[in-house]
Amino acid sequence: MAQVAAHNTAASCYTVVSGVVYDLTSFIAKHPGGEANIMSICGIDGTSAFENQHGGQGRPESTLATLKIGVLAR
């Protein structure tokens, strides 16, 4: 999580959802709900925020899958 936490800006935005690390940097400006929603989960575990807003929805989950960069080490 320390490496994810270092990526907490619009220039480099990583988040974790369900133990998977995603690089959201390229998606910030493309997010239909606005940049602020993505920026709010940069550098942190965004599982709750993502699940509360998009849980079970195919399109957001498939978009997120394209941004996967790794798995959180436990």
Side-chain angles (χ1 to χ4, degrees), residues 10 14 33 49 54-55 72:
Y14 290 7
H54 299 300
L72 192 64

Side-chain angles (χ1 to χ4, degrees), residues 17-30:
V17 176
S18 300
V20 179
V21 181
Y22 299 94
D23 181 349
L24 304 181
T25 309
S26 66
F27 189 68
I28 294 170
K30 299 175 187 174

Side-chain angles (χ1 to χ4, degrees), residues 48-60:
S48 293
F50 182 82
E51 291 296 328
N52 288 339
Q53 187 65 36
H54 299 300
Q57 296 176 357
R59 186 172 181 188

Side-chain angles (χ1 to χ4, degrees), residues 45-68:
D45 187 318
T47 303
S48 293
F50 182 82
E51 291 296 328
N52 288 339
Q53 187 65 36
H54 299 300
Q57 296 176 357
R59 186 172 181 188
E61 290 181 2
S62 65
T63 299
L64 188 62
T66 68
L67 302 170
K68 177 181 176 180

